[in-house]
Amino acid sequence: MTATQDLRERFTDALMPNYGTPGVALSHGDGTTVYDVDGNEYLDFIGGIAVSALGHAHPALVTAVSEQVARIAHTSNLFLHEPEVALAEKLLSLVGEPGKVFFSNSGTEANECALKLAIANGKAKGRTYFVASTDGFHGRSMGALALTGKAAIREPFAPFGIDVRFVPYGDAAALNDAVDESCAAVILEPTQGETGVVPPPEGYFAAVRDICDTTGALFIADEIQSGIGRTGTWFAYQQTGIVPDVVTLAKGLGGGLPIGACIGIGAYGDVFAKGDHGSTFGGNPVATAAALAVLDTIESDKLTEAAADKGKRLAEGIRALNHPLVAEVRGKGLWLGVELTAEVAADVDSTLRSSGVLANPVRPNVIRLAPPLVVTDAQIDAFLSVLPRALDAAYPPGGRP
Ligand SMILES: *Cc1c(COP(=O)(O)O)cnc(C)c1O
């Protein structure tokens, strides 16, 4: 029995079945390369689902975390510490607007904060409901799940304690019809990640901003997957010409350490009264030190620009294959959805894996790619040389036209 087989059996026996048992057991990594427990090497083109912005074992992250854990790992929010203050200041400077930050431990919790903030802001004004998008994803807790429009994960846990109305993503007219003066907030992703990296039509976020301005509903941008440089700007909304009222972050922010943030812009930073919200671990020294190292490294190594350039190389490289199984390559920067003409994404993914590449069949007909921002041109070219074989292997019966 291999080390992987042994761990898979033990995983199946000891862990809840909610994830299924993954096929690969990772041991360690270096940059965009990871190794499994049997010594096999992989190019990591999913980056822990858009999390490992600096790749694996980046020296800046290792140093920041090691030094911080050796100094003080936890203070609770009874006591403040410098890294959380510096990180909040840094995030506000990247947003480029006045505001205030709450730190959580995950994206779900960042959205819980946004949800409570919108309730605190709207309750006295009679704002009673939320609007979110069909097939959108905002997390798995009962509040964040209530906002999640993916019926398969939402409906088994209904009903929810809050009134959420769903509109088709990208349809400004439908949103306009759904939002009135009693809407507390609209929550949307700049591009739907879990749905297969689906961008909205041009001008959608500007239309959402207008609708929220007209009705007074808060505009919450869920940048948990799109943020932290991945699309070529710090936050994806920065390419739309508007500023939301609330921005939520997680995934790439800690580069692999668990941290989320909810940013209230302008007066929305001061909605909570003392005691309205909290988290034991939120903003803890190790996670905030990690996030500071991530942001500093992205800045000093110009990784937002790199994400734009390398993403173009990757997307154009896939398009240039002209493979009949590829219907479309969409997304910006190092965050792509490769839509296939058949529901064989799992087959493509498994051939990629046996050829030494990790990706993600996010939908039956979509492969999601989100490599670390430090991925090199040579690694992109290596991926592009492996992909045609994986596509060929999954080509449906009947062969090429
Ligand atoms: C991943 C994700 C979440 C949930 O974040 P967790 O850290 O898993 O709780 C919420 N919204 C979006 C857009 C995400 O991609």
Side-chain angles (χ1 to χ4, degrees), residues 102 104 107-121 130 147 184-187 218-222 224 245-249 261-264 268 271-272 277:
F102 173 85
S104 63
T108 297
E109 291 169 87
N111 283 337
E112 287 295 324
C113 176
L115 186 56
K116 283 181 69 178
L117 188 159
I119 291 169
N121 179 67
F130 288 80
L147 300 169
V186 175
I187 182 165
L218 292 197
F219 182 4
I220 304 166
D222 180 341
I224 288 165
D245 300 311
V246 177
V247 177
T248 54
L249 301 170
C262 175
I263 306 176
Y268 298 116
V271 168
F272 285 140
H277 197 45

Side-chain angles (χ1 to χ4, degrees), residues 201-247:
E202 202 69 35
Y204 182 58
F205 256 40
V208 177
R209 181 69 275 176
D210 273 350
I211 292 164
C212 289
D213 285 342
T214 306
T215 55
L218 292 197
F219 182 4
I220 304 166
D222 180 341
E223 291 259 5
I224 288 165
Q225 194 160 152
S226 54
I228 317 297
R230 182 157 291 281
T231 68
T233 49
W234 281 103
F235 311 110
Y237 79 77
Q238 291 172 328
Q239 295 168 49
T240 69
I242 62 101
V243 181
D245 300 311
V246 177
V247 177

Side-chain angles (χ1 to χ4, degrees), residues 15-339:
L15 284 109
M16 290 190 185
N18 55 299
Y19 296 117
T21 303
V24 177
L26 292 178
S27 148
H28 61 287
D30 176 16
T32 302
T33 305
V34 288
Y35 301 86
D36 73 14
V37 291
D38 292 306
N40 298 303
E41 180 179 324
Y42 304 87
L43 265 180
D44 181 7
F45 266 57
I46 189 58
I49 315 186
V51 165
S52 306
L54 304 185
H56 303 277
H58 191 288
L61 191 61
V62 172
T63 302
V65 169
S66 311
E67 287 184 353
Q68 187 59 52
V69 79
R71 205 174 297 126
I72 189 164
H74 180 72
T75 62
S76 87
N77 291 293
L78 297 175
F79 308 100
L80 67 79
H81 57 88
E82 209 257 335
E84 71 175 342
V85 177
L87 180 62
E89 290 169 346
K90 181 80 195 174
L91 285 172
L92 291 170
S93 82
L94 298 177
V95 166
E97 304 284 334
K100 289 187 180 170
V101 182
F102 173 85
F103 288 118
S104 63
N105 312 292
S106 68
T108 297
E109 291 169 87
N111 283 337
E112 287 295 324
C113 176
L115 186 56
K116 283 181 69 178
L117 188 159
I119 291 169
N121 179 67
K123 203 168 202 172
K125 302 168 200 157
R127 295 184 174 275
T128 54
Y129 72 92
F130 288 80
V131 174
S133 63
T134 311
D135 286 331
F137 182 78
H138 302 293
R140 304 280 199 154
S141 64
M142 290 302 279
L145 186 58
L147 300 169
T148 290
K150 288 166 81 94
I153 62 174
R154 178 181 200 274
E155 291 315 316
F157 299 96
F160 301 94
I162 51 173
D163 178 3
V164 184
R165 304 174 189 178
F166 294 97
V167 293
Y169 185 70
D171 183 341
L175 188 72
N176 194 47
D177 289 344
V179 178
D180 65 22
E181 277 70 19
S182 54
C183 176
V186 175
I187 182 165
L188 293 165
E189 300 158 82
T191 281
Q192 288 186 320
E194 296 307 302
T195 304
V197 192
V198 180
E202 202 69 35
Y204 182 58
F205 256 40
V208 177
R209 181 69 275 176
D210 273 350
I211 292 164
C212 289
D213 285 342
T214 306
T215 55
L218 292 197
F219 182 4
I220 304 166
D222 180 341
E223 291 259 5
I224 288 165
Q225 194 160 152
S226 54
I228 317 297
R230 182 157 291 281
T231 68
T233 49
W234 281 103
F235 311 110
Y237 79 77
Q238 291 172 328
Q239 295 168 49
T240 69
I242 62 101
V243 181
D245 300 311
V246 177
V247 177
T248 54
L249 301 170
K251 292 205 166 82
L253 178 58
L257 275 284
I259 182 168
C262 175
I263 306 176
I265 292 174
Y268 298 116
D270 282 301
V271 168
F272 285 140
K274 187 178 175 190
D276 273 354
H277 197 45
S279 163
T280 297
F281 292 120
N284 98 79
V286 178
T288 48
L292 275 169
V294 168
L295 299 181
D296 288 346
T297 304
I298 290 176
E299 198 159 56
S300 62
D301 293 0
K302 298 195 168 15
L303 294 179
T304 49
E305 293 87 338
D309 292 348
K310 295 189 191 303
K312 206 168 284 174
R313 184 184 190 93
L314 180 58
E316 283 171 5
I318 299 168
R319 289 188 192 108
L321 296 175
N322 266 323
H323 197 281
L325 194 54
V326 175
E328 184 189 15
V329 183
R330 58 186 180 234
K332 275 194 182 129
L334 287 169
W335 192 37
L336 301 177
V338 182
E339 183 164 328

Side-chain angles (χ1 to χ4, degrees), residues 346-399:
D347 300 335
V348 173
D349 181 60
S350 98
T351 314
L352 281 174
R353 186 182 313 163
S354 52
S355 319
V357 172
L358 301 183
N360 169 236
V362 64
R363 285 181 87 86
N365 63 336
V366 182
I367 301 275
R368 172 170 50 180
L369 303 174
L373 309 188
V374 296
V375 67
T376 64
D377 285 349
Q379 287 167 327
I380 289 172
D381 295 347
F383 171 82
L384 291 170
S385 73
V386 166
L387 183 61
R389 261 182 286 144
L391 293 169
D392 284 344
Y395 204 69

